[in-house]
Amino acid sequence: MDLNEGSALGVFRCKLCELSSPYTFYGQKPPNTRAIVLLEECYGMKDPFSPDREKFLVLGSKCSLCSKTVCVGPDCSLFYTKRFCLPCVRDNIHQFPEQIQAELVKKKTIQKTSS
Amino acid sequence: MSRERDKSQSWDWESRQCRAQLDEIFFRQHDYIQTGSAEHREFWTFFERFQRFTAKRDMSGSKSSRQESHEKKANKKSGSVDLGLPKDYDARYRINVSVCSKDVEERLGRSDHKKRRETSGPGRQEITDCRIALLHFLDFNQKQSFSKLAKLRKEQKSLPIFQYRDKIVELVRTHPVVVVAGDTGCGKSTQVPQYLMTSGFNYIACTQPRRIACISLAKRVSFESLNQFGSKVGYQIRFETSRTTATKLLFLTEGLLLRQIQQDASLGQYQVLIVDEVHERHLHCDFLLGVLRSLLPLRPDLRLVLMSATINIKLFSNYFNGAPVLQVPGRLFPIQVFYQPIPPEEQGSRSEKLDPRPYLRVLQGIDQRYLPEERGDLLLFLSGVAEISTIQDACQTYATHTQRWIVLPLHSTLSLAQQDKVFDIAPPGVRKCIISTNIAETSVTIDGVRFVVDSGKVKEMSFDPKAKMQRLQEFWISRASSEQRKGRAGRTGPGICYRLYSESDYDAFAPYPVPEIHRVALDSLVLQMKSMGVGDPRSFVFIDPPPASSIQTAVTYLREQGALDEHGELTPIGRLLAQLPVDVVIGKMLVLGSVFKLVEPVLTVAAALSVQSPFLRSAQHNPDCSTARQPLQSNQGDPFTLLNTFNAWVQVKKDRGSGSRKWCRRRGLEEQRLYEMVNLRRQFKELLRTHSLLEDDSGSRTGPQDRAQRRERRTERQKLHKLKRDHDFQENTKRKVLRLEEGLEGDGSSGSDEERTASNKRKKDEQTVDIQEVKFKLRHNVNELQEAANASADLSSRQQSLLKLVLCRGLYPQLATPDEHNATRKDSEQVFHTRNKQGVVIHPTSVFASDPEVLQVSEQESSADKGQSNRHQLLAFVTLLETNKPYVSNCVRVPALQALLLVANSVDTNADCTRVVVDGWLELGLTDGDMALKVLSSAITLRGEWERLLQAQLGQGGPGSRGGLVGPKPSRRDLDKLCEGLVRFLLYTEVSYSLRRLTGLQSQNLYIGPQQNTDLSSSSALGFLFPGMKTEPDPIKGGLRVSHFFTYNCLCDSMDLYSECLRTFWSCPHCDLYMPLTPLERMQHEATCRPEEEQQPEEDSESAQTSASSSSGLTRVYHCDLCNKDLTLTSTEILKHKRQHLS
């Protein structure tokens, strides 16, 4: 009955926000997905919100600069050809295109006003 | 991208064929997304949006991206490490997914050459566009799912209990019992099981007092633990389970866990048991705690977690040897309390209706003080349904006037659809005013309540052991309930609570509600305790032991019912009754019914009497409903009406499937109850089968034709399973917005509204899947059911009378007799009496309330001779409940004399048996002594045979059972003969008699009492006439105890002390006997003398098998003084032998 759930390889935990969840695959190839390839080594699981057992969900990966494990949430990391945790993005903000810079500024102000 | 688009003008994204061509490249059968799936449709919708978006961006944003690339070059000097990022920004770089299949690459590669030739097919550009869109679509879906996950985790973290997570796990690891105490909203019910599950505990059971909570918690927790579509988290309730072998966390009811302990005393299947809501102190929960307490030493590896509100925590901790307590703060918003005691002039007396003025003032006050835009609903706590309807009427008038309120009642006798309305949303500027019983205190949680009005009253059920009656009485609530009610105002924001009593009243309240175990009859509990072998119920260590008298009352009752023997041990029937999750009386019906060929109707009746009535009260005054119900009604009694209703419903189900919903609505029936009945019925049937009280009929259906049918059924089941899954998937259906008139329509007292609301709802209903219908079809074979219904519809009058007898014996001693003056009273003022309670009335829902004449002896008949008639009737009833009056409900009428002689525990007579007193309270006066004797002796014979066959059917005679009649199952012929005899007795006993209740004084001086100078020789001389029965002077009543229920000549009627000894000549209709006999001798002869045609040779072979028992039972050693010999003879043979000497 529960074959679709696979067995967890371990628990993924984001080093920044501490979000955690068991993961069932690690790598660039989610199981049973044919043509889909991930462009980074990812921690992932079966998408828990989809009834379809083939659907996967990427939880996070390692920052290409500092190798910290981070989740894919927009408050922790971003992907721009590679995965960067937000602290690394901030450190190298000027190498990123303006769109991303603007986004980050916006995010900061939202965080400030909300907290 | 857009620049190239105009090259392939023939390409049309809107065209179906064009899309299909791309589908063949990207969405093939084995691809991540397949053509035809829901996601595939979503993709194309997404695609259109995406195209519009890119088109807009391309037009406005092309300049800025160029500028940016300049800046970047400038900045690059300052950067320390080159990250090697692309210079031009492209949203594509933000996506970490790629789609690369051979086909896609090939197409992209070759399309350059072929583009001109195949102008109709997708070109390189189209494929690229589609691929980009697909990547964005995948990314979008990832983001959506991830944000759900993040939100979930955030919510979990924000619960007050989250900080205690590690502490809880640690405590459970190191202690066998842990108490977690936390108030509403702290998250204990959803989180604690998850904490334990994620920290490595497997096989966790979590009990809940309510079935509905099991389902909703399992749903919520499986979602939170990311197992929404798996079965790691499941629930199990009486008729439903989602449990599989993969289930690690199971939510179940307290009662069900107890039943599991009954099967497996060590509960080996579980590693952790969580008992939630222990502070509610339900009967089952208190008992469960007691059982678990004694289980712990035997299962040192077992972990027990008690979860409670922060009420009386010490009690639980102390009960478990000072178990550690972890207290978690709740999450409630501040609530302001106003004490507004009701002024004396508005209090009214007990008999008057509740004065609505104090309640209206609160509504007015809210309207004056708070702007309509400030949302927040009102929840009003009253004690009962009548109170609710009074206040509802007044509030509705006010609401109609102000247009600012929607008034909704909430109590358990409302239809489920009406109950459900309280969760719907009021339109802007309007508030809901929910008027509820204490059901909204714990069972039903309504969000959005800002104001609470607390009347401080509650109606609670209590049991009066003296009158054997349930009583629903109004009490002040406890401080704990009061706080709980107040808390309902602060779930979603700061709230206000108006208490319609003074602060000093509050201080005088009891601290906690009275636990159920102190209020209710303990029959079922004691029976269950006996069957679980937990020892003497009187010495069982309860957390808060019930009074010893309660337990004693239950033990006595169970003994009277034959469930316990004189040593207090379970009888075979008692053992079976303990397995049945119903009242003892209902269980008895089932067992009795299975002995005769009445299984199908008895199953239905037993199920119907164990659930709430399907007849909605609100529809009773609706003329359309009454007319539609008419054909279902039976003036034999309410169980027959229920039987008819069920059978008719099954027929409708078979013919029209989910059309039954409409059928029910037209008749004012709550279909949910009928579904419950059909489920319960099936459970009963299985139980009877496992106890071999029912032949297994599953083997009879085979054959080639059936195979096709089975296949058909299998595919149908698959379809149904899918429907159910789909339904489960669309959880949290959106709430409707209420209309302002909603309250008006829901007004239960004005009758015809039911149909009106129904017609509004109908449109919506028909579109959605009727999930009940789906579940019904999954669980039951409607053809089989219909056969069963047919078997119990159109009962012959013989079957009907037998069924009534079965019901009556099941319900005994719950009998009521009509008052002698009923004929002169109005229909609504008919009075009845039970043995222990005088002056009860028939509940207005009963068929006899509207048709009481059928219970009366017609004038001409009775006037002839001082109430002499052969048509006296009694009522057997299921419940006696006192509210404002003592009401009996679910009644069936039975012929008085016959029923009493066949079921009563104590039948006493005078010397010539013309005066019969039953159970010390009903007197039957028969004028014809000969007839009286005949009737009594056939009753004794029938009862003896009935008892014998019943014991045989029940299989092994337990240590306590009489006679040790272990033997083969009773033969069909014996059973048929018994049925025949009973029916003849019930229908064709033509004897006139009077029926009256004894007065208190009369019943005190009823018996002659033990006779010092009883002629012992005469009694022993009589003794030989009673085969298999100990005939001895009754030590209390006097007279002779002939059988366990019959005592002869013990009545002190003084009129004729010698008739006992008077012999009159009598000839036996069966044998040639003709001699002068006393009444008793004659009866005894009849008990053993069988008509010759019945003594057939085949029977001898049967009786030979049971020779041991029969010889001991029927023959005795007789010393004949004349022959001077010891002879082993039956009593008939002795008589014949004696006659030899006479002649």
Side-chain angles (χ1 to χ4, degrees), chain A residues 5 17 20 34-35 37 39-40 47 55-56 58 81-82 95 97 99 103, chain B residues 30 32 39 68 81 83 93-96 98 100 142 145 153 157 227 230:
Chain A
E5 282 156 34
C17 72
S20 71
R34 281 284 174 125
V37 173
L39 301 177
E40 54 175 339
D47 183 349
K55 296 288 175 277
F56 67 93
V58 170
T81 71
K82 283 177 262 185
Q95 293 193 42
Q99 278 88 344
E103 246 172 60
Chain B
H30 295 292
Y32 192 59
E39 254 192 317
E68 168 211 341
V81 192
L83 300 179
Y93 299 139
R94 305 290 298 269
I95 300 170
N96 67 347
S98 175
C100 39
Q142 286 288 317
S145 280
R153 292 294 192 237
K157 265 189 174 178
N227 202 262

mmCIF file of all heavy atoms in Angstrom, chain A residues 5 17 20 34-35 37 39-40 47 55-56 58 81-82 95 97 99 103, chain B residues 30 32 39 68 81 83 93-96 98 100 142 145 153 157 227 230:
data_model
loop_
_atom_site.group_PDB
_atom_site.id
_atom_site.type_symbol
_atom_site.label_atom_id
_atom_site.label_comp_id
_atom_site.label_asym_id
_atom_site.label_seq_id
_atom_site.Cartn_x
_atom_site.Cartn_y
_atom_site.Cartn_z
ATOM 1 N N GLU A 5 5.569 5.591 -0.898
ATOM 2 C CA GLU A 5 6.200 6.552 -0.012
ATOM 3 C C GLU A 5 7.710 6.389 0.045
ATOM 4 O O GLU A 5 8.430 7.283 0.450
ATOM 5 C CB GLU A 5 5.630 6.404 1.405
ATOM 6 C CG GLU A 5 4.269 7.056 1.501
ATOM 7 C CD GLU A 5 3.447 6.463 2.607
ATOM 8 O OE1 GLU A 5 4.015 6.084 3.627
ATOM 9 O OE2 GLU A 5 2.219 6.372 2.436
ATOM 10 N N CYS A 17 16.705 28.084 8.127
ATOM 11 C CA CYS A 17 15.387 28.249 8.761
ATOM 12 C C CYS A 17 14.992 27.035 9.579
ATOM 13 O O CYS A 17 13.922 27.016 10.199
ATOM 14 C CB CYS A 17 14.317 28.542 7.720
ATOM 15 S SG CYS A 17 13.883 27.127 6.707
ATOM 16 N N SER A 20 12.510 21.136 8.346
ATOM 17 C CA SER A 20 13.008 19.778 8.215
ATOM 18 C C SER A 20 11.929 18.855 7.687
ATOM 19 O O SER A 20 10.734 19.093 7.888
ATOM 20 C CB SER A 20 13.521 19.279 9.559
ATOM 21 O OG SER A 20 12.426 19.054 10.407
ATOM 22 N N ARG A 34 11.532 10.058 -15.911
ATOM 23 C CA ARG A 34 11.885 10.086 -17.324
ATOM 24 C C ARG A 34 12.731 11.308 -17.726
ATOM 25 O O ARG A 34 13.857 11.428 -17.293
ATOM 26 C CB ARG A 34 10.597 10.049 -18.182
ATOM 27 C CG ARG A 34 10.024 8.669 -18.301
ATOM 28 C CD ARG A 34 10.865 7.910 -19.278
ATOM 29 N NE ARG A 34 10.499 6.530 -19.380
ATOM 30 C CZ ARG A 34 10.185 5.948 -20.529
ATOM 31 N NH1 ARG A 34 10.135 6.674 -21.640
ATOM 32 N NH2 ARG A 34 9.935 4.674 -20.566
ATOM 33 N N ALA A 35 12.088 12.232 -18.441
ATOM 34 C CA ALA A 35 12.851 13.299 -19.068
ATOM 35 C C ALA A 35 13.298 14.399 -18.117
ATOM 36 O O ALA A 35 14.024 15.306 -18.506
ATOM 37 C CB ALA A 35 12.012 13.912 -20.189
ATOM 38 N N VAL A 37 15.346 16.325 -15.447
ATOM 39 C CA VAL A 37 16.692 16.324 -14.869
ATOM 40 C C VAL A 37 16.816 17.579 -14.019
ATOM 41 O O VAL A 37 16.336 18.644 -14.415
ATOM 42 C CB VAL A 37 17.771 16.331 -15.972
ATOM 43 C CG1 VAL A 37 19.153 16.503 -15.354
ATOM 44 C CG2 VAL A 37 17.714 15.049 -16.762
ATOM 45 N N LEU A 39 19.134 20.477 -12.243
ATOM 46 C CA LEU A 39 20.389 21.117 -12.609
ATOM 47 C C LEU A 39 21.321 21.255 -11.406
ATOM 48 O O LEU A 39 22.323 21.954 -11.467
ATOM 49 C CB LEU A 39 20.106 22.490 -13.223
ATOM 50 C CG LEU A 39 19.220 22.411 -14.486
ATOM 51 C CD1 LEU A 39 18.915 23.803 -15.014
ATOM 52 C CD2 LEU A 39 19.867 21.563 -15.567
ATOM 53 N N GLU A 40 20.971 20.640 -10.311
ATOM 54 C CA GLU A 40 21.831 20.629 -9.132
ATOM 55 C C GLU A 40 21.538 19.350 -8.367
ATOM 56 O O GLU A 40 20.525 18.688 -8.602
ATOM 57 C CB GLU A 40 21.550 21.855 -8.247
ATOM 58 C CG GLU A 40 20.068 21.973 -7.892
ATOM 59 C CD GLU A 40 19.752 23.094 -6.937
ATOM 60 O OE1 GLU A 40 20.660 23.549 -6.223
ATOM 61 O OE2 GLU A 40 18.587 23.504 -6.875
ATOM 62 N N ASP A 47 6.106 14.326 -3.745
ATOM 63 C CA ASP A 47 5.305 15.507 -3.406
ATOM 64 C C ASP A 47 4.149 15.090 -2.484
ATOM 65 O O ASP A 47 3.234 14.393 -2.916
ATOM 66 C CB ASP A 47 4.750 16.153 -4.685
ATOM 67 C CG ASP A 47 3.970 17.425 -4.370
ATOM 68 O OD1 ASP A 47 3.697 17.685 -3.176
ATOM 69 O OD2 ASP A 47 3.660 18.162 -5.321
ATOM 70 N N LYS A 55 4.962 12.210 -8.566
ATOM 71 C CA LYS A 55 5.333 13.615 -8.435
ATOM 72 C C LYS A 55 6.339 13.799 -7.297
ATOM 73 O O LYS A 55 6.198 13.193 -6.241
ATOM 74 C CB LYS A 55 4.081 14.468 -8.169
ATOM 75 C CG LYS A 55 3.096 14.454 -9.319
ATOM 76 C CD LYS A 55 3.601 15.245 -10.506
ATOM 77 C CE LYS A 55 2.681 15.139 -11.706
ATOM 78 N NZ LYS A 55 2.882 13.926 -12.543
ATOM 79 N N PHE A 56 7.347 14.619 -7.595
ATOM 80 C CA PHE A 56 8.387 14.809 -6.588
ATOM 81 C C PHE A 56 8.381 16.247 -6.097
ATOM 82 O O PHE A 56 7.740 17.124 -6.691
ATOM 83 C CB PHE A 56 9.764 14.458 -7.180
ATOM 84 C CG PHE A 56 10.194 15.419 -8.245
ATOM 85 C CD1 PHE A 56 10.990 16.523 -7.918
ATOM 86 C CD2 PHE A 56 9.812 15.256 -9.575
ATOM 87 C CE1 PHE A 56 11.390 17.423 -8.901
ATOM 88 C CE2 PHE A 56 10.198 16.159 -10.543
ATOM 89 C CZ PHE A 56 10.992 17.242 -10.215
ATOM 90 N N VAL A 58 11.274 19.057 -4.552
ATOM 91 C CA VAL A 58 12.646 19.369 -4.153
ATOM 92 C C VAL A 58 12.597 20.160 -2.854
ATOM 93 O O VAL A 58 11.866 21.149 -2.751
ATOM 94 C CB VAL A 58 13.362 20.172 -5.251
ATOM 95 C CG1 VAL A 58 14.688 20.703 -4.739
ATOM 96 C CG2 VAL A 58 13.568 19.311 -6.483
ATOM 97 N N THR A 81 21.340 29.779 -12.109
ATOM 98 C CA THR A 81 22.232 28.795 -12.733
ATOM 99 C C THR A 81 22.866 27.852 -11.714
ATOM 100 O O THR A 81 23.249 26.745 -12.045
ATOM 101 C CB THR A 81 23.352 29.429 -13.580
ATOM 102 O OG1 THR A 81 24.300 30.051 -12.719
ATOM 103 C CG2 THR A 81 22.827 30.381 -14.614
ATOM 104 N N LYS A 82 22.983 28.316 -10.509
ATOM 105 C CA LYS A 82 23.472 27.482 -9.410
ATOM 106 C C LYS A 82 22.707 27.875 -8.157
ATOM 107 O O LYS A 82 22.017 28.886 -8.130
ATOM 108 C CB LYS A 82 24.975 27.749 -9.162
ATOM 109 C CG LYS A 82 25.893 27.093 -10.157
ATOM 110 C CD LYS A 82 27.333 27.470 -9.888
ATOM 111 C CE LYS A 82 27.732 28.606 -10.805
ATOM 112 N NZ LYS A 82 29.127 29.015 -10.745
ATOM 113 N N GLN A 95 27.557 40.823 -8.168
ATOM 114 C CA GLN A 95 27.724 39.975 -9.341
ATOM 115 C C GLN A 95 26.388 39.501 -9.896
ATOM 116 O O GLN A 95 26.329 38.895 -10.951
ATOM 117 C CB GLN A 95 28.580 38.748 -8.982
ATOM 118 C CG GLN A 95 29.997 39.126 -8.660
ATOM 119 C CD GLN A 95 30.876 37.899 -8.627
ATOM 120 O OE1 GLN A 95 30.757 37.027 -9.480
ATOM 121 N NE2 GLN A 95 31.764 37.847 -7.652
ATOM 122 N N PRO A 97 22.529 39.943 -11.362
ATOM 123 C CA PRO A 97 21.830 40.935 -12.186
ATOM 124 C C PRO A 97 20.901 41.790 -11.332
ATOM 125 O O PRO A 97 20.530 41.407 -10.228
ATOM 126 C CB PRO A 97 21.039 40.089 -13.187
ATOM 127 C CG PRO A 97 20.972 38.727 -12.593
ATOM 128 C CD PRO A 97 22.197 38.571 -11.754
ATOM 129 N N GLN A 99 17.803 42.530 -11.479
ATOM 130 C CA GLN A 99 16.522 41.965 -11.058
ATOM 131 C C GLN A 99 16.648 41.304 -9.696
ATOM 132 O O GLN A 99 15.793 41.470 -8.825
ATOM 133 C CB GLN A 99 16.026 40.911 -12.060
ATOM 134 C CG GLN A 99 15.338 41.485 -13.258
ATOM 135 C CD GLN A 99 16.332 41.801 -14.367
ATOM 136 O OE1 GLN A 99 17.564 41.860 -14.122
ATOM 137 N NE2 GLN A 99 15.835 42.029 -15.567
ATOM 138 N N GLU A 103 15.097 42.453 -6.106
ATOM 139 C CA GLU A 103 14.290 41.499 -5.351
ATOM 140 C C GLU A 103 14.745 41.426 -3.894
ATOM 141 O O GLU A 103 13.954 41.401 -2.966
ATOM 142 C CB GLU A 103 14.473 40.105 -5.956
ATOM 143 C CG GLU A 103 13.238 39.529 -6.589
ATOM 144 C CD GLU A 103 13.579 38.245 -7.319
ATOM 145 O OE1 GLU A 103 14.052 37.312 -6.650
ATOM 146 O OE2 GLU A 103 13.425 38.207 -8.565
ATOM 147 N N HIS B 30 4.545 7.878 -20.831
ATOM 148 C CA HIS B 30 5.445 7.632 -19.702
ATOM 149 C C HIS B 30 6.115 8.902 -19.186
ATOM 150 O O HIS B 30 6.999 8.845 -18.361
ATOM 151 C CB HIS B 30 6.503 6.597 -20.091
ATOM 152 C CG HIS B 30 5.885 5.269 -20.355
ATOM 153 N ND1 HIS B 30 5.314 4.516 -19.361
ATOM 154 C CD2 HIS B 30 5.709 4.590 -21.512
ATOM 155 C CE1 HIS B 30 4.823 3.405 -19.890
ATOM 156 N NE2 HIS B 30 5.046 3.427 -21.203
ATOM 157 N N TYR B 32 6.479 12.679 -17.350
ATOM 158 C CA TYR B 32 6.139 13.167 -16.011
ATOM 159 C C TYR B 32 4.696 13.646 -15.964
ATOM 160 O O TYR B 32 3.963 13.415 -15.014
ATOM 161 C CB TYR B 32 7.096 14.308 -15.652
ATOM 162 C CG TYR B 32 7.053 14.709 -14.191
ATOM 163 C CD1 TYR B 32 7.346 13.790 -13.191
ATOM 164 C CD2 TYR B 32 6.739 16.015 -13.827
ATOM 165 C CE1 TYR B 32 7.321 14.160 -11.862
ATOM 166 C CE2 TYR B 32 6.715 16.401 -12.506
ATOM 167 C CZ TYR B 32 7.010 15.459 -11.517
ATOM 168 O OH TYR B 32 6.990 15.827 -10.203
ATOM 169 N N GLU B 39 -3.147 17.568 -14.538
ATOM 170 C CA GLU B 39 -1.995 18.452 -14.633
ATOM 171 C C GLU B 39 -1.759 18.916 -16.059
ATOM 172 O O GLU B 39 -1.308 20.039 -16.294
ATOM 173 C CB GLU B 39 -0.761 17.691 -14.147
ATOM 174 C CG GLU B 39 -0.309 18.148 -12.798
ATOM 175 C CD GLU B 39 1.053 17.603 -12.468
ATOM 176 O OE1 GLU B 39 1.275 16.414 -12.748
ATOM 177 O OE2 GLU B 39 1.877 18.365 -11.956
ATOM 178 N N GLU B 68 21.299 47.063 -17.769
ATOM 179 C CA GLU B 68 21.801 46.309 -16.626
ATOM 180 C C GLU B 68 23.113 45.619 -16.963
ATOM 181 O O GLU B 68 24.043 45.592 -16.164
ATOM 182 C CB GLU B 68 20.739 45.287 -16.232
ATOM 183 C CG GLU B 68 21.163 44.252 -15.274
ATOM 184 C CD GLU B 68 20.392 42.984 -15.552
ATOM 185 O OE1 GLU B 68 19.328 43.065 -16.230
ATOM 186 O OE2 GLU B 68 20.839 41.934 -15.111
ATOM 187 N N VAL B 81 35.406 36.875 -5.884
ATOM 188 C CA VAL B 81 35.405 35.629 -6.643
ATOM 189 C C VAL B 81 34.454 35.776 -7.814
ATOM 190 O O VAL B 81 33.377 36.331 -7.664
ATOM 191 C CB VAL B 81 34.905 34.452 -5.773
ATOM 192 C CG1 VAL B 81 35.182 33.129 -6.453
ATOM 193 C CG2 VAL B 81 35.519 34.521 -4.393
ATOM 194 N N LEU B 83 31.747 34.451 -9.843
ATOM 195 C CA LEU B 83 30.765 33.375 -9.714
ATOM 196 C C LEU B 83 30.416 32.786 -11.070
ATOM 197 O O LEU B 83 29.712 31.790 -11.170
ATOM 198 C CB LEU B 83 29.490 33.899 -9.051
ATOM 199 C CG LEU B 83 29.656 34.484 -7.640
ATOM 200 C CD1 LEU B 83 28.325 34.977 -7.113
ATOM 201 C CD2 LEU B 83 30.262 33.466 -6.701
ATOM 202 N N TYR B 93 17.232 31.083 -16.051
ATOM 203 C CA TYR B 93 18.344 30.717 -15.162
ATOM 204 C C TYR B 93 17.917 30.498 -13.731
ATOM 205 O O TYR B 93 18.673 30.010 -12.913
ATOM 206 C CB TYR B 93 19.425 31.820 -15.199
ATOM 207 C CG TYR B 93 20.017 32.042 -16.567
ATOM 208 C CD1 TYR B 93 20.277 33.339 -17.040
ATOM 209 C CD2 TYR B 93 20.350 30.963 -17.386
ATOM 210 C CE1 TYR B 93 20.819 33.546 -18.273
ATOM 211 C CE2 TYR B 93 20.902 31.169 -18.638
ATOM 212 C CZ TYR B 93 21.131 32.471 -19.089
ATOM 213 O OH TYR B 93 21.674 32.666 -20.314
ATOM 214 N N ARG B 94 16.670 30.901 -13.419
ATOM 215 C CA ARG B 94 16.188 30.751 -12.049
ATOM 216 C C ARG B 94 15.592 29.366 -11.784
ATOM 217 O O ARG B 94 15.183 29.072 -10.676
ATOM 218 C CB ARG B 94 15.077 31.792 -11.760
ATOM 219 C CG ARG B 94 15.450 33.226 -12.008
ATOM 220 C CD ARG B 94 16.441 33.721 -10.993
ATOM 221 N NE ARG B 94 15.941 33.705 -9.628
ATOM 222 C CZ ARG B 94 15.326 34.736 -9.056
ATOM 223 N NH1 ARG B 94 15.122 35.836 -9.727
ATOM 224 N NH2 ARG B 94 14.919 34.663 -7.805
ATOM 225 N N ILE B 95 15.520 28.576 -12.830
ATOM 226 C CA ILE B 95 14.846 27.286 -12.698
ATOM 227 C C ILE B 95 15.862 26.159 -12.618
ATOM 228 O O ILE B 95 16.779 26.092 -13.459
ATOM 229 C CB ILE B 95 13.892 27.054 -13.887
ATOM 230 C CG1 ILE B 95 12.837 28.165 -13.910
ATOM 231 C CG2 ILE B 95 13.217 25.688 -13.799
ATOM 232 C CD1 ILE B 95 11.995 28.166 -15.154
ATOM 233 N N ASN B 96 15.698 25.324 -11.613
ATOM 234 C CA ASN B 96 16.688 24.261 -11.435
ATOM 235 C C ASN B 96 16.266 22.929 -12.061
ATOM 236 O O ASN B 96 16.797 21.888 -11.746
ATOM 237 C CB ASN B 96 17.013 24.077 -9.952
ATOM 238 C CG ASN B 96 15.809 23.541 -9.183
ATOM 239 O OD1 ASN B 96 14.689 23.541 -9.691
ATOM 240 N ND2 ASN B 96 16.047 23.073 -7.966
ATOM 241 N N SER B 98 15.274 20.741 -15.660
ATOM 242 C CA SER B 98 15.387 20.721 -17.110
ATOM 243 C C SER B 98 14.639 19.517 -17.652
ATOM 244 O O SER B 98 14.499 18.502 -16.959
ATOM 245 C CB SER B 98 16.856 20.653 -17.513
ATOM 246 O OG SER B 98 16.941 20.511 -18.901
ATOM 247 N N CYS B 100 14.884 17.019 -20.739
ATOM 248 C CA CYS B 100 15.595 16.652 -21.953
ATOM 249 C C CYS B 100 15.299 15.211 -22.298
ATOM 250 O O CYS B 100 15.686 14.284 -21.598
ATOM 251 C CB CYS B 100 17.098 16.847 -21.780
ATOM 252 S SG CYS B 100 17.710 16.393 -20.167
ATOM 253 N N GLN B 142 6.562 23.313 -8.151
ATOM 254 C CA GLN B 142 7.496 23.066 -7.053
ATOM 255 C C GLN B 142 7.343 24.134 -5.982
ATOM 256 O O GLN B 142 7.292 23.848 -4.793
ATOM 257 C CB GLN B 142 8.942 23.074 -7.576
ATOM 258 C CG GLN B 142 9.324 21.838 -8.363
ATOM 259 C CD GLN B 142 9.473 20.624 -7.457
ATOM 260 O OE1 GLN B 142 10.040 20.703 -6.386
ATOM 261 N NE2 GLN B 142 8.952 19.495 -7.901
ATOM 262 N N SER B 145 4.052 23.681 -3.971
ATOM 263 C CA SER B 145 4.093 22.604 -2.985
ATOM 264 C C SER B 145 5.041 22.952 -1.849
ATOM 265 O O SER B 145 4.744 22.697 -0.676
ATOM 266 C CB SER B 145 4.546 21.297 -3.633
ATOM 267 O OG SER B 145 3.473 20.711 -4.306
ATOM 268 N N ARG B 153 5.037 23.863 8.289
ATOM 269 C CA ARG B 153 6.066 23.784 9.320
ATOM 270 C C ARG B 153 6.034 25.021 10.216
ATOM 271 O O ARG B 153 6.280 24.936 11.408
ATOM 272 C CB ARG B 153 7.440 23.660 8.668
ATOM 273 C CG ARG B 153 7.651 22.337 7.956
ATOM 274 C CD ARG B 153 7.670 21.181 8.950
ATOM 275 N NE ARG B 153 8.131 19.961 8.357
ATOM 276 C CZ ARG B 153 7.441 18.820 8.335
ATOM 277 N NH1 ARG B 153 6.229 18.764 8.873
ATOM 278 N NH2 ARG B 153 7.947 17.744 7.787
ATOM 279 N N LYS B 157 5.414 25.120 14.211
ATOM 280 C CA LYS B 157 6.382 25.764 15.116
ATOM 281 C C LYS B 157 5.735 26.792 16.015
ATOM 282 O O LYS B 157 6.205 27.054 17.110
ATOM 283 C CB LYS B 157 7.439 26.493 14.271
ATOM 284 C CG LYS B 157 8.674 25.688 14.012
ATOM 285 C CD LYS B 157 9.688 26.615 13.374
ATOM 286 C CE LYS B 157 11.014 25.943 13.197
ATOM 287 N NZ LYS B 157 11.963 26.850 12.527
ATOM 288 N N ASN B 227 1.668 12.710 4.920
ATOM 289 C CA ASN B 227 1.269 11.368 4.539
ATOM 290 C C ASN B 227 -0.201 11.321 4.156
ATOM 291 O O ASN B 227 -0.884 10.315 4.293
ATOM 292 C CB ASN B 227 1.518 10.416 5.708
ATOM 293 C CG ASN B 227 1.638 9.012 5.229
ATOM 294 O OD1 ASN B 227 0.691 8.249 5.280
ATOM 295 N ND2 ASN B 227 2.796 8.660 4.700
ATOM 296 N N GLY B 230 -1.073 8.480 2.010
ATOM 297 C CA GLY B 230 -0.640 7.154 2.441
ATOM 298 C C GLY B 230 -1.513 6.692 3.586
ATOM 299 O O GLY B 230 -2.547 7.293 3.868
#
